[in-house]
């Protein structure tokens, strides 16, 4: 096992201690596994809270800060956080205008956030929730009933976060988040399996010279396996799969996302191919983001997410943001 860790049991705690040292603008509660922006609760503002299993960094903790999340709850690797974490975070960031939970569609996350909603409301916190289910590759999977939540989570957290920063009420922030979900679709490709610290090796078998089309961010099976394809061929397959479902009439945001072990040299080359396909299909690109944002530990591969945007969504996307993982305009 070649991993830059001490022991598997302390991987998440060690990472949180390192995050606290690197980002004094955050309050990182290592013992209770809660990350909060230091100026929370922000008066007059709806709070955004998300979370999920660790191993997808910078999602979600790297997106805590002005313009995005107010708090994040990291679970163990590929394991949902527990309701107590979410309630602790919600009460820490609630300024009296309510909290929006952003939930990726994985069974553990859905159940635990649902329970946390009930507990937080018992504490007097008004809670709304939005479910992100953007992956078009498969309908049901190992961890999911319905479509998986993947790259569109970034779009939801950024755009709804900007809406909250503007002072919109909870109902409006929730509506914006739901609009982003409805307007977004994703497709992922694995060139290698990921390795969890606990297992110490690949979590699934992907023979040399093959790739998995439609893989999930935990290594869940996709649509099919094929012999290795070129970047040109992968872009055709992935973008067409999205467009068959989305059929955008408006310009789109494009996220070309690395799964953790794919260098930017390859991601930018793949982005060029994605733009080629969109141009050939008559789809206008409004903005493009390239990098490792919604990862799967050390998996080699990528995902594409498209979100069609009107003037309001594009304005909110362009609004200032200052987090560890995403920053512009400030």
């Amino acid at each position: 096992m070649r991993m830059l860790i001490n022991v598997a049991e302390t991987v998440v705690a060690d990472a949180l201690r390192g995050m606290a040292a690197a980002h004094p603008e955050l309050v990182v509660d290592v013992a209770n596994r809660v990350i909060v922006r230091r100026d929370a609760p922000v008066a007059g503002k709806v709070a955004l809270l998300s979370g999920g299993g660790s191993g997808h960094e910078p999602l979600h903790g790297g997106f805590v800060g002005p313009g995005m999340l107010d708090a994040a709850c990291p679970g163990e690797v590929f394991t949902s956080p527990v309701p107590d974490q979410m309630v602790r975070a919600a009460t820490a960031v609630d300024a009296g205008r309510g909290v929006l939970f952003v939930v990726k569609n994985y069974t553990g996350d859905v159940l635990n956030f649902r329970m946390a909603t009930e507990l937080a409301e018992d504490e007097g916190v008004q809670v709304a929730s939005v479910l992100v289910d953007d992956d078009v590759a498969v309908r049901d999977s190992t961890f999911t009933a319905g479509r998986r939540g993947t790259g569109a989570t970034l779009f939801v957290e950024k755009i709804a976060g900007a809406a909250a920063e503007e002072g919109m009420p909870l109902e409006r922030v929730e509506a914006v988040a739901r609009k982003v979900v409805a307007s977004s679709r994703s497709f992922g490709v694995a060139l290698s399996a990921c390795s969890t610290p606990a297992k110490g090796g690949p979590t699934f078998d992907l023979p040399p010279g093959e790739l998995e089309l439609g893989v999930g961010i935990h290594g869940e099976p996709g649509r099919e396996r094929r012999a290795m394809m070129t970047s040109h061929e992968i872009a055709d397959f992935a973008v067409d799969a999205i467009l068959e479902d989305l059929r955008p009439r408006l310009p789109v945001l494009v996220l070309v996302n690395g799964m953790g072990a794919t260098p930017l040299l390859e991601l930018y080359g793949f982005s060029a191919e994605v733009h080629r396909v969109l141009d050939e299909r008559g789809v206008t690109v409004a903005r493009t983001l390239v990098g490792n944002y919604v990862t799967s530990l050390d998996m080699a591969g990528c995902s594409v997410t498209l979100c069609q945007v009107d003037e309001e969504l594009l304005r909110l996307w362009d609004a200032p943001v200052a987090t560890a993982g995403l920053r512009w305009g400030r």
Side-chain angles (χ1 to χ4, degrees):
M1 181 174 70
R2 296 183 179 180
M3 293 182 178
L4 194 63
I5 66 173
N6 293 315
V7 294
E9 292 77 10
T10 66
V11 166
V12 175
D14 291 344
L16 290 176
R17 289 191 295 106
M19 188 175 199
H23 296 285
E25 71 276 14
L26 302 175
V27 176
V28 181
D29 184 340
V30 177
N32 293 298
R33 306 291 173 88
V34 172
I35 303 165
V36 177
R37 54 187 282 185
R38 187 166 292 278
D39 59 350
V42 180
K45 177 186 175 303
V46 168
L48 262 70
L49 189 158
S50 192
S54 296
H56 306 303
E57 290 76 17
L59 190 80
H60 295 273
F63 298 146
V64 174
M68 286 190 82
L69 297 175
D70 293 85
C73 302
E76 292 296 328
V77 172
F78 291 177
T79 303
S80 173
V82 298
D84 284 351
Q85 289 174 258
M86 303 163 190
V87 175
R88 185 181 295 271
T91 55
V93 299
D94 179 36
R97 299 199 66 193
V99 179
L100 179 68
F101 286 171
V102 179
V103 187
K104 300 190 304 303
N105 189 31
Y106 294 96
T107 302
D109 288 2
V110 172
L111 293 176
N112 286 350
F113 269 102
R114 186 179 299 157
M115 186 179 299
T117 297
E118 297 174 2
L119 295 172
E121 288 176 342
D122 288 343
E123 296 286 333
V125 179
Q126 183 184 4
V127 177
S129 183
V130 60
L131 187 69
V132 184
D133 58 351
D134 54 303
D135 183 15
V136 302
V138 294
R139 189 67 192 172
D140 298 296
S141 73
T142 312
F143 298 95
T144 309
R147 293 200 289 212
R148 301 173 291 209
T150 57
T153 312
L154 182 151
F155 288 150
V156 174
E157 292 176 358
K158 171 62 186 77
I159 293 173
E165 209 74 45
E166 287 188 356
M168 293 185 189
L170 180 59
E171 303 78 31
R172 181 64 187 139
V173 176
E174 179 187 4
V176 167
R178 293 186 183 278
K179 185 176 178 181
V180 175
V181 173
S183 302
S184 301
R185 301 291 187 275
S186 297
F187 192 93
V189 179
L191 308 182
S192 74
C194 57
S195 300
T196 63
K199 185 175 177 62
T203 56
F204 63 97
D205 177 43
L206 187 57
E210 294 187 7
L211 52 74
E212 181 89 23
L213 293 167
V215 72
I217 56 174
H218 307 97
E220 310 97 307
R223 289 188 178 183
E224 61 179 290
R225 288 189 178 180
R226 288 190 183 182
M228 187 60 197
M229 300 159 65
T230 65
S231 178
H232 183 107
E233 294 167 333
I234 295 171
D236 280 331
F237 192 101
V239 176
D240 281 343
I242 293 171
L243 295 180
E244 285 173 10
D245 195 290
L246 184 60
R247 302 184 185 278
R249 301 179 309 279
L250 299 171
V252 297
L253 303 176
V254 178
L255 171 63
V256 174
N257 172 67
M259 293 293 199
T262 304
L264 278 171
L265 179 70
E266 296 176 30
L267 290 177
Y268 277 119
F270 183 65
S271 177
E273 296 295 343
V274 169
H275 277 251
R276 172 190 58 78
V277 180
L278 292 172
D279 183 61
E280 291 173 356
R281 306 299 186 266
V283 179
T284 301
V285 175
R287 304 284 187 273
T288 302
L289 183 65
V290 180
N292 289 283
Y293 294 102
V294 183
T295 62
S296 183
L297 293 168
D298 61 343
M299 183 187 291
C302 62
S303 63
V304 181
T305 304
L306 303 182
C307 176
Q308 62 173 338
V309 289
D310 56 18
E311 290 184 3
E312 180 188 40
L313 294 188
L314 185 58
R315 175 181 61 78
L316 292 170
W317 174 256
D318 286 339
V321 58
T323 70
L326 203 65
R327 183 180 297 267
W328 60 66
R330 294 177 71 95

